[in-house]
Amino acid sequence: MGRTARMRGYSVWSLLREGVGGHRGWRPAWRDAAPKAAYDAVIIGGGGHGLATAYYLAKEHGMTNVAVLEKGWLGGGNAARNTTIVRSNYLNDESAAIYDHAMRLWRGLGRELNFNIMMSHRGVLNLAHDDGEMRQLKRRVEANRLNGVDAEWLDAHEVKEFCPPIHIGRDVRYPVLGATLQRSGGVNRHDAVVWGYARAACALGVDIVQHCEVTGIDVRGGVVQGVRTTRGDIKTSKVASVVAGHTSVIADMVGLRLPIESHPLQALVSEPVKPIMPCVVMSNAVHAYCSQSDKGELVIGAGIDPHISYTQRGGFHIIEDEIAALLELFPIFSRMKLMRHWAGTVDVCPDASPIISKTPVKGFYVNGGWGTGGWKATPGSGHVFADLVANDEPNAIAEPYALTRFATGKLVAEHGAAAVAH
Amino acid sequence: MSVQAYRLEDGGRIDRTAPLTFRFDGRAYAGYRGDTLASALLANGVRTLARSFKYHRPRGVLTAGSEEPVALVQVGGDPATTVPNVRATELELYDGLEAFPQNCWPSLGRDVGVVNDALARFLPAGFYYKTFMGPPLNWMRFEGAIRAAAGMGRSPTAPDPDRYEHVNRHCEVLVIGGGAAGLVAAREAARTGARVILAEETGALGGGLLAGAPDAVTIDGRPAWAWLAEIEAELRAMPEVTLLTRTTGTGWYDRNWVTLAEAVLDHLPPAARDPRLPRQRLWRVRAKAVVLATGAIERPLLFHANDRPGVMLAGAVRAYLHRWGVAPGRRAVVATNNTDAWRTAFDLAAAGVEIAAIVDSRARPDERLLARAQALGLPVRAGSAVVAAKGRSEVRGAVIARADGGGREDVACDLLVVSGGWAPNLALYAQSKGAIAWDDDLQAFRPQPNGAAARFAGRAAGAFDLAASLRAAAVAGAEAAGIAPEHVPEVADDGVAYALAPAPKPQGGRVFVDLQNDVTTKDIRLAAAEGYRSIEHAKRYTTLGMGTDQGKTSGLNGVATLADTLDKTIPEVGVTTFRPPYKPVSFGAVAGRQVGELFHPRRTTAMHEAHVEAGAVFELVGDWLRPRVYPQAGESFDDALQRECRAARSSCAVLDASTLGKIDVKGPDAREFLNRVYTNAWMKLAPGRCRYGLMCNEDGMVFDDGVTACLADDHFHMTTTTGGAAGVLAWLEEYLQTEWPELKVYLTSVTEQWAVASICGPESPKLAAELFDDIDADPQAFPFMSHTSGHIADVPVRVFRISFTGEVSYEINVPARYGLWLWRLIEARGAKYGLTPYGTEGMHLLRAEKGFIIAGQDTDGTVTPLDLGMRWAVKNSADFIGRRSLFRSDTARPDRRQLVGLATADPATVLTEGAQVIAEPAERSGRTPMIGHVTSSYFSPNLGRSIALALIAGGHGKTGATVHVARRGAAPVPAEITATDFLAGFGERP
Ligand SMILES: Cc1cc2nc3c(=O)[nH]c(=O)nc-3n(C[C@H](O)[C@H](O)[C@H](O)COP(=O)(O)OP(=O)(O)OC[C@H]3O[C@@H](n4cnc5c(N)ncnc54)[C@H](O)[C@@H]3O)c2cc1C
């Protein structure tokens, strides 16, 4: 346990040295590997979760003969598209456990990976606009407190103090009555997380294979034999699917039907401006959330497009609603400009909680169903999934997320208190 | 005020009789109506307009349009109306305009940020990923500084006073781009009588023709500008043609749904802006066919210091000459790889600008061009390229060298005109998922047809000679309307066919690819060396093309640089994903009228006026504004609440229940339908009777509840919770349409059709008897859970004998227009019985006394009917939504959280709703296990003590046990688990 990656270190000193030397000494952050004929484990999906799984498999479980297979460019799925809100103030004990596990790992992740993931713990506000929401959010704050998760309640004036650009007048349709604040919540740089994990996993021996789509999974006698890909067949006894929006597609390759629906989820950025938004603001009722990137863009999102689709394309009316909602909270942003909008495909479970599970097919493991809010779990998800893949048994944090819960009814229902669950 | 030293004697489409004054960077300047900020500043000899994003290098004007990467300014100093990142090349000048440079401090001339430029070697692409990782170089400490350095302009800080609108249109043909090609296409399409919309981004029609002399070419025998005026007039005379200027195609979505952003007022001085008009409009157009006539974008050349102010694109320079009468320099070097930039050289020469050299990377430029240059006495360097710009802050010269590196010469100039060739402007098409393909002859990507819905006209189609371009336009326009082209314009021009060689490769130094984000060729090479080899990775690592221009002028050079580094071809490297919008659009325009009062409009009931008069305190429930309590003069909220609740149980009280969701359910299968969506049985409910029902989700969790009345065998009146109404209707429709299309059931929301006054209390039968014309109000004759129709003062009413308070109640429904009248009538007649209006808070309290649930408050999507102790509402006889889930092993577990009553040991202590319940009398120091939470909590006036409902693990088996309710910063409150019906438990009343 506890291997450390061997890589050329990044530091101020190496930057200075390379600066003097014309930056000729830098090596590829990760090796663009060609697939081998066999691995001890194959991870499908080179997003944040897949790469984190590979990294922890190698680091914590000594499994280094591992490949991550990515059908496109590394991190080009939801990892590249998400709005990177990180928080752990979830209602249920099971959720608090996994998201807070992730939060603990985020804290030191930049150093651990020797890659600045720009983890900015700038605080996340969840606004309440009516009594029902106040009741719900206060309930959550109390649950967080008793679970040891950092959370506090702010009244409207404290909200304004924490986030000066917000409008807290009572004259609007959704007045801000108060908010929960998780100070340790915040945002980070999605690409850096992907690249940092890839680099560290690669340094431990993991093969990172891009442009390699898994097209089938060989199962004999209920046991995984290997995968078929666009770059040839690969033998392996463990296949770990971490493909976010395409989880049902991969599961279907072994004849497994999952209670997952895939939807478009959109996001957008404004033109960059000087710092104006100090924190992350989320609102269920108006249905929008916003933060500001280090480059200066306002990063804005909302809920899913209601239709089911793999197209990574949503309707513009959702963008219109999302911006209208944002302007309700921040009327000063009306003259800011929409610069770019896009969509990803998110995998939504009926209880709005993920699946981290063994399956009836021996050697086939599923990590998916994170829906609109899996980014924040990335290190935690990878960490516990690696444990499951290595030991063939879930640990205490992963255990509630078994597939069997849909048969027994032991759901981890997060939709009640978190309809916008980013 | 400075003189317009670079303004030409005459020419240009500016109004020299309308001089304007404006301010930039704190200084006053003069310009003319028809100028852009960029043309006016260039006329005044101002070349440095901005500081760059990262290195704070001075930047000038590269282009003459919306593709501009660097000439960005902040417009206006008012905190409410200021706009950041406005392209000076698009900003139409008006009198009194004030603009500020961005991203510099303390001033544009002296910007301390330039230290970054000096330190550039230590700040390569992605430097921030390699440092600031942890203590002592903690990211959060550096982030502040980095954020402050980034970002360019500033957000407004006060609410926007302006209005925005959406316009919805259908048309047969939408032409995007109002250059010659767009106009020809529109005319061809319009001949059929089709509805044609043409959207032109700038304030004038004409596009590229405006960037040439008025008579540079002739079309159908007419000089260019005269022809433009004529075709414009022709189109304006056609009733089905809509010509929009200052209108940009911004998004091309599925099935030709296209958004157009129209700037309505921004080009006018504030005093001249008509307050009745919106600032901007977003047109949402559904077009049968779209003609892309968006022209082409010129590609800059790559060489050392190619970012210096004074380096300008050839096409743009021509536009400044002809459209604005400005020569942006006195001595120019023109560097190109193609025929077109020569025209700029000739036009500059004609305008009196000295041409220091025409530098063409092609060894053998077109004979005709050479002859013309010779005739004009212009020095030509064929087979050569500019390898560096000279000058510390602005261009002072160019270094020219042959392709083999030899023949180096320094040439002084103050204007360095560059052209790396033209590329069809296909961003809009590409973001619609249209295919594009590399064309080696054009050295550019070209749009590929994708079926009948999209056509390409003019330079957007890759046709760079005017004759071919207009031929393509005529075909595109005609075919878009489903006919053959009728009139292909005749063109006479200089006869030089467009030809180009691949752009010359840079020869070292600091070569800028993305001028806005300060991305150099070295950055791209570094990205490749570090493994960021996919164009998407290289983009993200270097921030190439991620600015407000979205890489319009840098994309191709970026791809070419990466391709060169990786030894691949440009098509092998490919392009990054194009995304909407084509250029930034105000949030205000995107939201349209959906702001303020019109954002999720608030709803009020027919009786609202009476509540306001009565001094009610309101609360928002779903979209509705509902009276919460009616405090009398000097009365506190709590006192009012207690008074209202006492009245309901001792005399008589009235509630405005109009907001409850009401759905008319009709059809031969209505009964079967109800039986499937409710957990209880509906097959035997007789007409005239009502029944309470629970709805579950597929996962067996309670989702909504309400009373439904049987009006006739095939006709029911369903009620839902106020907040759940829309969701329930949508959910019922989804089931009807997707799961049970065989059921003949029709659902109609009738929430607004009925106004509802619910009277309750021991005196209410008397009041009811007095009100009704023809209904026997006696609770014996008109029993609980029945309903009937009748009249009050001849007004038809439906009355339901149902109760949410546990008291005798009559829910009187009248057509909404009688709602206010009914309320006032009830108040008038009820006064003698002590009638008291009560609000939602009283309703909540009264129902809690009786132990009735509120779906959404006492349930949260994790609660089954069994958990609520409502097994009686779950049928055994037939299937219903959620049934299978309900009987899974874990949903039937006895230790699930179940609804119970809680009575605090101290009857005066009212628990906090949402508080967590723990088993132990004190919190632990670490994690404290929770066994449930308080869902509802009140002080009950009728029982004289506090009451609460809670969901508690295994609660149904724990009656009498003591639990503890946690509080932040105080000891937990002990409370006893009770039954939920407090009236039965504590009250003396039955
Ligand atoms: C617009 C948007 C905003 C979001 N905002 C937030 C937020 O603010 N906070 C938050 O916590 N979460 C957010 N999310 C959710 C979050 O992005 C996801 O839950 C999370 O990124 C999913 O894990 P991942 O990174 O591994 O997924 P991905 O990056 O999608 O990785 C899955 C990978 O699998 C690959 N793949 C699929 N099929 C195959 C195959 N057959 N063979 C090989 N490879 C395959 C895909 O190409 C993809 O790269 C957001 C999502 C979206 C779309």
Side-chain angles (χ1 to χ4, degrees):
Chain A
M1 268 247 239
R3 292 165 154 251
T4 38
R6 298 194 152 273
M7 29 192 185
R8 254 182 115 91
Y10 290 161
S11 68
V12 180
W13 313 116
S14 64
L15 256 182
L16 290 175
R17 199 171 50 238
E18 285 294 332
V20 173
H23 298 286
R24 273 184 276 268
W26 300 116
R27 296 280 157 266
W30 71 86
R31 206 165 18 89
D32 196 13
K36 294 194 294 195
Y39 289 96
D40 294 344
V42 162
I43 294 165
I44 313 176
H49 290 221
L51 290 163
T53 305
Y55 170 70
Y56 294 114
L57 266 181
K59 177 173 174 259
E60 307 271 326
H61 305 282
M63 286 183 67
T64 56
N65 186 24
V66 169
V68 177
L69 308 183
E70 167 53 50
K71 72 175 173 189
W73 45 281
L74 203 67
N78 291 342
R81 294 157 203 265
N82 81 94
T83 49
T84 78
I85 295 173
V86 168
R87 61 183 180 89
S88 65
N89 53 353
Y90 278 68
L91 176 67
N92 292 304
D93 297 352
E94 299 87 343
S95 319
I98 191 158
Y99 290 104
D100 221 38
H101 180 52
M103 184 63 95
R104 277 190 296 277
L105 291 168
W106 281 124
R107 281 214 177 87
L109 197 60
R111 284 185 93 188
E112 174 172 351
L113 300 179
N114 181 236
F115 204 104
N116 184 3
I117 59 162
M118 304 189 184
M119 184 66 236
S120 171
H121 301 278
R122 54 178 79 167
V124 175
L125 291 172
N126 289 84
L127 304 179
H129 301 282
D130 62 35
D131 287 344
E133 282 196 307
M134 293 248 277
R135 195 184 302 121
Q136 270 184 20
L137 291 184
K138 285 187 167 169
R139 171 183 169 202
R140 208 176 72 194
V141 168
E142 273 298 280
N144 293 156
R145 186 174 68 79
L146 294 169
N147 265 328
V149 174
D150 131 49
E152 56 200 277
W153 176 257
L154 305 187
D155 67 25
H157 291 282
E158 292 164 329
V159 168
K160 178 82 183 166
E161 233 167 80
F162 195 76
C163 181
I166 203 167
H167 180 68
I168 58 162
R170 287 303 179 97
D171 52 330
V172 292
R173 171 68 177 77
Y174 292 100
V176 174
L177 303 183
T180 66
L181 167 63
Q182 184 173 30
R183 288 184 194 270
S184 56
V187 288
N188 55 31
R189 174 99 186 102
H190 46 19
D191 294 327
V193 173
V194 167
W195 301 337
Y197 269 125
R199 174 166 168 265
C202 176
L204 291 170
V206 171
D207 270 1
I208 289 163
V209 187
Q210 302 185 84
H211 304 288
C212 179
E213 179 170 356
V214 172
T215 53
I217 299 174
D218 283 327
V219 178
R220 220 170 308 133
V223 182
V224 163
Q225 309 291 319
V227 294
R228 267 166 272 152
T229 81
T230 50
R231 295 177 71 177
D233 294 355
I234 299 172
K235 293 226 168 318
T236 185
S237 58
K238 287 177 189 264
V239 171
S241 166
V242 207
V243 293
H246 288 77
T247 303
S248 311
V249 178
I250 297 291
D252 191 48
M253 293 177 185
V254 299
L256 195 62
R257 287 195 70 201
L258 299 178
I260 285 180
E261 291 183 341
S262 288
H263 291 267
L265 176 65
Q266 306 192 63
L268 60 96
V269 289
S270 74
E271 287 187 347
V273 286
K274 295 287 175 196
I276 177 99
M277 268 293 286
C279 59
V280 181
V281 170
M282 313 181 68
S283 165
N284 256 347
V286 309
H287 225 61
Y289 62 90
C290 178
S291 67
Q292 190 177 13
S293 74
D294 287 336
K295 249 182 114 239
E297 302 117 337
L298 296 176
V299 181
I300 296 157
I304 54 171
D305 277 51
H307 64 285
I308 290 167
S309 161
Y310 288 116
T311 57
Q312 298 193 327
R313 249 167 113 72
F316 191 70
H317 61 285
I318 301 278
I319 300 284
E320 292 173 346
D321 291 347
E322 169 172 344
I323 288 179
L326 176 86
L327 296 184
E328 180 74 2
L329 302 176
F330 300 99
I332 67 168
F333 290 155
S334 162
R335 292 170 105 87
M336 295 276 295
K337 284 166 265 168
L338 166 65
M339 184 168 85
R340 194 170 167 94
H341 71 85
W342 63 87
T345 305
V346 296
D347 40 340
V348 181
C349 278
D351 60 354
S353 286
I355 296 167
I356 307 171
S357 187
K358 305 211 277 193
T359 66
V361 178
K362 186 156 174 45
F364 180 68
Y365 307 90
V366 181
N367 182 349
W370 291 93
T372 60
W375 182 253
K376 62 181 69 64
T378 303
S381 158
H383 195 260
V384 302
F385 194 46
D387 205 274
L388 171 62
V389 173
N391 300 325
D392 199 41
E393 279 307 324
N395 65 19
I397 296 179
E399 194 266 337
Y401 298 103
L403 256 177
T404 47
R405 78 177 187 272
F406 299 104
T408 67
K410 198 169 182 191
L411 304 179
V412 186
E414 276 296 337
H415 39 26
V420 175
H422 304 279
Chain B
M1 197 175 298
S2 70
V3 290
Q4 299 182 43
Y6 290 79
R7 185 78 71 181
L8 299 175
E9 285 297 308
D10 49 30
R13 293 168 73 99
I14 47 172
D15 182 353
R16 292 181 194 246
T17 65
L20 308 173
T21 57
F22 67 99
R23 296 179 71 82
F24 175 69
D25 197 19
R27 288 190 53 194
Y29 296 96
Y32 293 114
R33 182 179 303 148
D35 262 326
T36 63
L37 178 64
S39 69
L41 286 172
L42 289 170
N44 282 284
V46 178
R47 312 193 141 199
T48 299
L49 268 65
R51 289 281 175 167
S52 69
F53 191 76
K54 183 169 164 191
Y55 300 126
H56 291 250
R57 286 166 70 95
R59 292 284 158 80
V61 175
L62 182 71
T63 75
S66 67
E67 68 272 37
E68 175 60 36
V70 281
L72 306 184
V73 297
Q74 180 100 26
V75 177
D78 183 290
T81 56
T82 184
V83 184
N85 306 333
V86 177
R87 287 167 291 277
T89 49
E90 282 193 288
L91 177 61
E92 293 180 53
L93 204 65
Y94 53 80
D95 203 43
L97 178 129
E98 170 135 47
F100 304 88
Q102 301 185 148
N103 212 36
C104 52
W105 186 86
S107 72
L108 186 56
R110 256 181 272 287
D111 176 15
V112 299
V114 293
V115 300
N116 287 359
D117 200 32
L119 295 175
R121 57 157 58 176
F122 303 112
L123 307 174
F127 74 93
Y128 31 75
Y129 296 128
K130 293 179 177 143
T131 180
F132 313 129
M133 271 160 300
L137 296 183
N138 169 318
W139 171 242
M140 291 287 287
R141 293 220 314 272
F142 285 92
E143 186 181 36
I146 290 204
R147 287 187 69 185
M152 307 203 287
R154 293 184 189 282
S155 162
T157 50
D160 189 349
D162 285 327
R163 273 192 312 112
Y164 302 82
E165 267 175 11
H166 285 174
V167 180
N168 296 310
R169 277 294 162 82
H170 288 84
C171 66
E172 276 71 46
V173 181
L174 170 65
V175 181
I176 305 175
L183 294 168
V184 166
R187 182 172 62 185
E188 284 299 309
R191 276 197 297 113
T192 62
R195 288 167 299 176
V196 175
I197 297 176
L198 179 143
E200 160 57 33
E201 183 173 31
T202 70
L205 299 169
L209 287 188
L210 301 181
D215 55 356
V217 296
T218 62
I219 303 173
D220 285 336
R222 304 282 292 141
W225 290 17
W227 176 83
L228 276 178
E230 285 159 19
I231 190 168
E232 177 175 346
E234 200 180 332
L235 286 168
R236 288 206 188 276
M238 299 174 115
E240 296 294 349
V241 174
T242 308
L243 291 183
L244 301 170
T245 52
R246 300 189 180 89
T247 304
T248 309
T250 52
W252 187 342
Y253 300 89
D254 292 344
R255 287 157 211 246
N256 283 349
W257 192 82
V258 179
T259 52
L260 311 172
E262 180 188 9
V264 182
L265 298 176
D266 278 356
H267 62 292
L268 300 170
R273 294 176 189 171
D274 185 340
R276 289 164 306 182
L277 291 180
R279 175 173 173 239
Q280 295 171 356
R281 294 191 183 103
L282 191 76
W283 291 66
R284 305 148 98 237
V285 178
R286 175 81 67 185
K288 200 162 167 194
V290 176
V291 177
L292 189 78
T294 45
I297 290 179
E298 201 166 16
R299 182 172 160 189
L301 290 173
L302 298 179
F303 50 84
H304 172 70
N306 59 342
D307 64 323
R308 287 285 181 239
V311 176
M312 295 178 71
L313 286 169
V317 169
R318 223 153 58 218
Y320 287 111
L321 282 175
H322 298 295
R323 187 161 177 179
W324 291 290
V326 176
R330 305 258 188 252
R331 187 177 151 89
V333 166
V334 177
T336 183
N337 64 343
N338 65 74
T339 49
D340 185 62
W342 289 68
R343 295 188 179 120
T344 304
F346 301 148
D347 289 0
L348 278 170
V353 176
E354 186 186 343
I355 300 298
I358 299 174
V359 186
D360 196 321
S361 61
R362 296 171 303 156
R364 254 180 242 97
D366 187 290
E367 284 304 329
R368 263 190 282 190
L369 296 174
L370 286 169
R372 179 102 191 269
Q374 202 174 16
L376 292 169
L378 311 183
V380 172
R381 301 283 181 277
S384 298
V386 167
V387 296
K390 306 203 71 167
R392 266 196 66 229
S393 53
E394 294 180 357
V395 167
R396 292 279 170 263
V399 181
I400 300 169
R402 282 200 309 267
D404 60 13
R408 262 178 103 87
E409 67 182 304
D410 281 12
V411 180
C413 65
D414 63 351
L415 176 63
L416 183 39
V417 179
V418 297
S419 175
W422 293 85
N425 180 10
L426 42 63
L428 199 57
Y429 181 59
Q431 44 128 308
S432 81
K433 295 268 187 268
I436 61 173
W438 179 252
D439 181 325
D440 226 30
D441 292 335
L442 277 187
Q443 286 290 302
F445 288 94
R446 239 186 214 279
Q448 298 298 106
N450 70 345
R455 313 262 158 196
F456 316 102
R459 294 187 298 167
F464 286 107
D465 293 316
L466 189 60
S469 158
L470 298 190
R471 196 177 320 117
V475 171
E479 287 185 351
I483 54 165
E486 185 166 277
H487 179 74
V488 176
E490 291 278 322
V491 172
D493 59 12
D494 62 10
V496 179
Y498 178 70
L500 84 170
K505 289 181 184 164
Q507 307 203 351
R510 289 184 79 193
V511 181
F512 286 83
V513 177
D514 182 328
L515 266 62
Q516 182 170 126
N517 278 353
D518 276 340
V519 179
T520 64
T521 50
K522 275 192 191 139
D523 290 323
I524 295 172
R525 290 184 201 287
L526 176 64
E530 295 199 69
Y532 303 99
R533 292 191 177 151
S534 147
I535 185 68
E536 293 283 359
H537 284 149
K539 164 189 152 177
R540 286 155 178 271
Y541 193 64
T542 62
T543 70
L544 170 74
M546 289 171 71
T548 61
D549 60 330
Q550 294 283 289
K552 289 188 179 61
T553 53
S554 61
L556 210 44
N557 277 335
V559 175
T561 305
L562 186 62
D564 188 43
T565 310
L566 299 177
D567 227 359
K568 288 185 174 177
T569 64
I570 286 177
E572 275 167 359
V573 168
V575 293
T576 57
T577 314
F578 291 87
R579 302 234 183 246
Y582 171 70
K583 80 176 181 194
V585 187
S586 298
F587 281 169
V590 176
R593 296 298 297 274
Q594 242 197 99
V595 290
E597 304 241 285
L598 299 179
F599 177 73
H600 297 186
R602 206 177 254 177
R603 301 162 84 184
T604 54
T605 72
M607 299 153 179
H608 187 72
E609 203 181 307
H611 308 320
V612 174
E613 278 168 23
V617 172
F618 290 90
E619 88 169 312
L620 273 169
V621 185
D623 287 337
W624 294 94
L625 208 51
R626 298 192 71 181
R628 194 168 175 188
V629 287
Y630 298 82
Q632 294 173 350
E635 196 181 28
S636 74
F637 182 99
D638 279 326
D639 291 346
L641 174 65
Q642 302 284 313
R643 173 179 51 75
E644 289 169 19
C645 291
R646 271 193 305 272
R649 297 220 190 277
S650 60
S651 55
C652 160
V654 61
L655 173 83
D656 179 354
S658 306
T659 64
L660 277 191
K662 295 179 271 298
I663 301 171
D664 189 85
V665 183
K666 199 164 184 184
D669 298 316
R671 200 179 272 287
E672 170 64 20
F673 178 65
L674 293 179
N675 214 42
R676 293 186 192 182
V677 299
Y678 279 122
T679 59
N680 47 343
W682 291 79
M683 299 314 280
K684 298 208 176 94
L685 186 70
R689 300 291 301 169
C690 309
R691 182 163 290 167
Y692 172 81
L694 277 178
M695 288 178 183
C696 282
N697 274 329
E698 290 86 341
D699 60 9
M701 304 299 155
V702 172
F703 148 72
D704 207 80
D705 68 345
V707 171
T708 288
C710 182
L711 303 176
D713 221 26
D714 61 352
H715 193 189
F716 295 81
H717 176 91
M718 173 186 280
T719 64
T720 71
T721 59
T722 296
V728 170
L729 182 62
W731 179 76
L732 296 178
E733 279 292 356
E734 183 178 338
Y735 264 92
L736 271 182
Q737 292 177 28
T738 66
E739 303 293 326
W740 307 321
E742 73 282 5
L743 292 189
K744 272 198 158 44
V745 181
Y746 307 94
L747 305 178
T748 314
S749 167
V750 294
T751 306
E752 291 84 353
Q753 272 59 45
W754 297 99
V756 184
S758 175
I759 57 173
C760 79
E763 304 280 10
S764 62
K766 286 187 214 151
L767 173 59
E770 226 177 278
L771 289 168
F772 299 147
D773 299 349
D774 47 6
I775 301 172
D776 184 348
D778 182 341
Q780 306 301 318
F782 184 7
F784 186 50
M785 295 310 265
S786 66
H787 70 91
T788 187
S789 293
H791 296 83
I792 294 179
D794 289 336
V795 171
V797 295
R798 267 187 200 165
V799 185
F800 300 86
R801 277 275 291 114
I802 57 180
S803 167
F804 195 37
T805 58
E807 293 299 322
V808 183
S809 295
Y810 301 81
E811 256 187 43
I812 308 171
N813 289 239
V814 282
R817 64 184 178 282
Y818 294 105
L820 186 60
W821 164 81
L822 176 68
W823 184 267
R824 296 205 197 282
L825 184 74
I826 291 172
E827 282 192 317
R829 299 273 174 82
K832 56 183 166 298
Y833 303 111
L835 181 93
T836 304
Y838 71 104
T840 50
E841 197 68 15
M843 171 186 79
H844 291 169
L845 197 164
L846 291 163
R847 64 85 208 183
E849 289 179 334
K850 188 68 190 155
F852 291 151
I853 63 153
I854 295 184
Q857 174 165 346
D858 302 300
T859 70
D860 62 358
T862 67
V863 183
T864 69
L866 281 59
D867 298 338
L868 294 171
M870 293 167 80
R871 179 70 179 90
W872 53 265
V874 179
K875 59 183 164 260
N876 292 320
S877 51
D879 201 5
F880 56 86
I881 298 171
R883 178 184 168 85
R884 188 187 61 93
S885 299
L886 213 44
F887 296 104
R888 292 174 298 191
S889 55
D890 272 298
T891 2
R893 239 175 38 233
D895 63 344
R896 288 180 56 82
R897 292 190 174 183
Q898 294 156 341
L899 191 75
V900 295
L902 279 188
T904 47
D906 170 9
T909 306
V910 181
L911 298 170
T912 306
E913 289 175 350
Q916 297 291 329
V917 179
I918 59 179
E920 302 142 31
E923 288 181 26
R924 297 187 189 171
S925 57
R927 252 201 85 232
T928 307
M930 290 161 265
I931 59 169
H933 76 280
V934 177
T935 60
S936 298
S937 170
Y938 312 90
F939 187 85
S940 159
N942 297 304
L943 302 167
R945 61 155 299 128
S946 77
I947 56 171
L949 296 172
L951 285 163
I952 293 192
H956 289 164
K958 289 189 184 160
T959 310
T962 298
V963 292
H964 304 270
V965 180
R967 296 185 291 182
R968 181 185 286 259
V973 180
E976 186 189 316
I977 295 182
T978 69
T980 51
D981 185 344
F982 295 97
L983 288 180
F986 291 98
E988 57 280 16
R989 302 165 45 83

